[in-house]
Each structure stands twice: as structure tokens, then as C-alpha cells.
């Protein structure tokens, strides 16, 4: 009589760690700037240290009350916001919010903004000098702001203005602290803006910011938000985000742009949504609008993404970054 010994196969967890311009993160998942305040709010629902990085609300040099109300409007498969970069200013931010994030063990990607290129530099300098700066794993430069020195033209719509901001911020930060240029999709050629930013010193790219949109109140027959226009976010913008990431990754593969990490953001609600961005070329993924109805969305999406990769037989997230480019029918 022969006996057989049953063997069991233990599935190995997928390695979800990522290297973002020299900073090793245990997870690709992040919050998106402006959708989770500065940590305390989400900290009531999950440990923010679980994230690859917590992305702060864009902070400027001085406190801002933002735009008048109403500031938000629901749209089909999304929302429009016209908050106006309300915030406490960089001094209060580093003393209170960044200090809290450091105490919580959160790896922090600080989003900075400015009305002028010089203001961006000043904010970066104050950030660098703060006691909690060692909690910062990178700086996201929100160049989707109006440039008051150029008739209010958004920095990210002008390759030269974008490059100037990035160069000035780069001068203020240590070389081992990566900076990510956050790009707007409201341009004809997003790759040309990416090229200017990387040449000026950006270590990576975040794409996309919201799309400029507008909603009319059909009862009152006037704009529904006080600022008239606002930023469109939510599932409706995801195909635009995937396209932008795809085009930028393709430019890298074609040698038109150096290889730098891309952080994908726009309309992510599920692990499958995140997988689209990763397959298009994103090394990390931010979750924003989804947190308004599911505060745990950034960690939930991360678990779903890991499960999908495991089901497909991948051992590492990095094996999937940009994989769709290899599978295009030629």
C-alpha cells in the first residue's frame, strides 16, 4: 500500500513596494491632495502610516480663506469643486499639521502652491527648515495655480513658467528629497510640459490634476459655484488620467523624456481603476474624491490592487508598471 503525502501551496503576497526617485515606499497607495485635509480627519478611520504616503492639501505662504460659497457641485459621475486653496499657511502647517503627521509615523508628500514662482520657493524653504521635515518623503509642486505675474495663466499650461517654478523649488530642497510636478490635463500637449519640468529638476510627475469645468443651476440659471468654474474630479475623469499617463510613459519609452516615476491620480475608486493607471505607466496611485463617501478608500483600493495582481500571477507591483505598452497590437 502506498501512501501519498498531500502538499499545500502557500500563496506568496505580492511585493507592493515602490521606489519613487530614491525613496522606498511599502505601498503605492496615497491620498490625493485636497481630498483628505492634512491627516487628522482620515486618522479617525485608519492608520495613515499604512499608506505609501499621505499627500497634504496644497499649502501656500500665507493663510487663505478660499473662495465664497457654494464651492461644490455634484456632476454625473463626479463633482466640481471651487475651494480656492483654502489653508493655514506654511508656518502653521509645519508647526501643527506636519508635526502631527510625523508623530503619527506617516510618510508625507507635501503639496505646495503659490501665486508666483518666488512664493513656491519661499514655501519650500520654510518647509525645509521645519523640525518635522524628516517626515517628508517628497514634495508635490502644484503648478496648476494661476500665475499672477502672467495675467493669471495657470503655471502648468506654460512649459517655461512650469520650469521656472520647478527650478526654484529644487534650489531650496536637499537633493535626496524628490519633487513631483503635478500637471494639469487642460493643455494640448502634456508631454511638452512634462519635458520642461523634468529638465528643470523634477524627479517625478503627478498626473492629473482636476479638469476645468462648469455647472449651471438650471433653476436659477446661473453658475452653481460662486467661483463660476471649478475642478472636475471623480470617475468621469479617469480615462483622461489614463491617457495622460500613457502618453507620458510612451514618451519615456521613445526616448523623448527621461524615465522618472509617475504618480497616477484621477477617478480611482477600485483596485481595477488603480490597475489601469499602473498598466499605463504609473508607479504609484492617489485616491481622492472616493474618500468623501468612503474614507478608507485609499487602503481598500490598495488591498484590491494587491489581490488583482496576485490573481494574475504577478509577484511584484513593479512588474506591471507600464505593461500595457508591451501588449499593444502593432
Amino acid at each position: 500500500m502506498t501512501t501519498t503525502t498531500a502538499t499545500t501551496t502557500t500563496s506568496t503576497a505580492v511585493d507592493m513596494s515602490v521606489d519613487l526617485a530614491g525613496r522606498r515606499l511599502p505601498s503605492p497607495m496615497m491620498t490625493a491632495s485636497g481630498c483628505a485635509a492634512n491627516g487628522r480627519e482620515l486618522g479617525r478611520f485608519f492608520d495613515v502610516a499604512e499608506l505609501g504616503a499621505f499627500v497634504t492639501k496644497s499649502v501656500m505662504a500665507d493663510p487663505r480663506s478660499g473662495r465664497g460659497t457654494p464651492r461644490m457641485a455634484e456632476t454625473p459621475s463626479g463633482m466640481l469643486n471651487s475651494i480656492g486653496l483654502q489653508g493655514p499657511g506654511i508656518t502653521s502647517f509645519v508647526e501643527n499639521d506636519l508635526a502631527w503627521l510625523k508623530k503619527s509615523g506617516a510618510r508625507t508628500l507635501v503639496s505646495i502652491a503659490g501665486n508666483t514662482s518666488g512664493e513656491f520657493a519661499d514655501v519650500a524653504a520654510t518647509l525645509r527648515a521645519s523640525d518635522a521635515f524628516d517626515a517628508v518623503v517628497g514634495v508635490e509642486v502644484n503648478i496648476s495655480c494661476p500665475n499672477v505675474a502672467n495675467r493669471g495663466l495657470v503655471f502648468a499650461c506654460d512649459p517655461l513658467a512650469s520650469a521656472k517654478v520647478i527650478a526654484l523649488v529644487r534650489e531650496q530642497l536637499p537633493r535626496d528629497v524628490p519633487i513631483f510636478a503635478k500637471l494639469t490635463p487642460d493643455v494640448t500637449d502634456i508631454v511638452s510640459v512634462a519635458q520642461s519640468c523634468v529638465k528643470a529638476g523634477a524627479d517625478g510627475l503627478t498626473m492629473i490634476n482636476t479638469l476645468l469645468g462648469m455647472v449651471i443651476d438650471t433653476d436659477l440659471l446661473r453658475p452653481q459655484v460662486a467661483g463660476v468654474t471649478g475642478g472636475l474630479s471623480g470617475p468621469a475623469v479617469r480615462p483622461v488620467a489614463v491617457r495622460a499617463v500613457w502618453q507620458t510613459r510612451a514618451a519615456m519609452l521613445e526616448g523623448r523624456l527621461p524615465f522618472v516615476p509617475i504618480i497616477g491620480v484621477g477617478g480611482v475608486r477600485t483596485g481595477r481603476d488603480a490597475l489601469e493607471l499602473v498598466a499605463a505607466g504609473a508607479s504609484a496611485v492617489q485616491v481622492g474624491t472616493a474618500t468623501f463617501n468612503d474614507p478608507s478608500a485609499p487602503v481598500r483600493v490598495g488591498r484590491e490592487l494587491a489581490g488583482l495582481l496576485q490573481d494574475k500571477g504577478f509577484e511584484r507591483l513593479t512588474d506591471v508598471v507600464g505593461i500595457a505598452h508591451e501588449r499593444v497590437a502593432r
Side-chain angles (χ1 to χ4, degrees), residues 118-203:
E119 183 178 352
F120 278 92
D122 292 343
V123 172
T126 302
L127 176 65
R128 182 199 64 223
S130 69
D131 292 337
F133 185 64
D134 54 345
V136 177
V137 296
V139 172
E140 185 175 87
V141 186
N142 181 8
I143 51 176
S144 299
C145 301
N147 180 1
V148 298
N150 188 19
R151 305 182 311 281
L153 178 68
V154 171
F155 286 99
C157 290
D158 180 352
L160 293 178
S162 298
K164 183 177 180 180
V165 171
I166 296 300
L168 290 175
V169 171
R170 179 73 280 168
E171 289 176 0
Q172 298 299 326
L173 296 172
R175 290 300 309 179
D176 63 343
V177 175
I179 62 176
F180 294 81
K182 188 170 186 178
L183 305 185
T184 176
D186 295 327
V187 292
T188 303
D189 182 7
I190 199 167
V191 171
S192 65
V193 181
Q195 289 169 329
S196 294
C197 290
V198 172
K199 186 175 181 180
D203 302 288

Side-chain angles (χ1 to χ4, degrees), residues 23-26 30 38-39 48-49 51-56 93-111 126-140 173-174 176-178 180:
R23 291 297 178 112
R24 196 75 179 174
L25 306 179
M30 303 178 179
N38 286 324
V48 291
L51 297 167
F54 181 90
V55 186
T56 68
F93 169 80
V94 297
E95 292 175 354
N96 298 295
D97 299 312
L98 188 58
W100 183 89
L101 287 162
K102 177 181 178 179
K103 184 178 179 181
S104 300
R107 291 164 292 274
T108 307
L109 185 63
V110 177
S111 176
T126 302
L127 176 65
R128 182 199 64 223
S130 69
D131 292 337
F133 185 64
D134 54 345
V136 177
V137 296
V139 172
E140 185 175 87
L173 296 172
D176 63 343
V177 175
F180 294 81

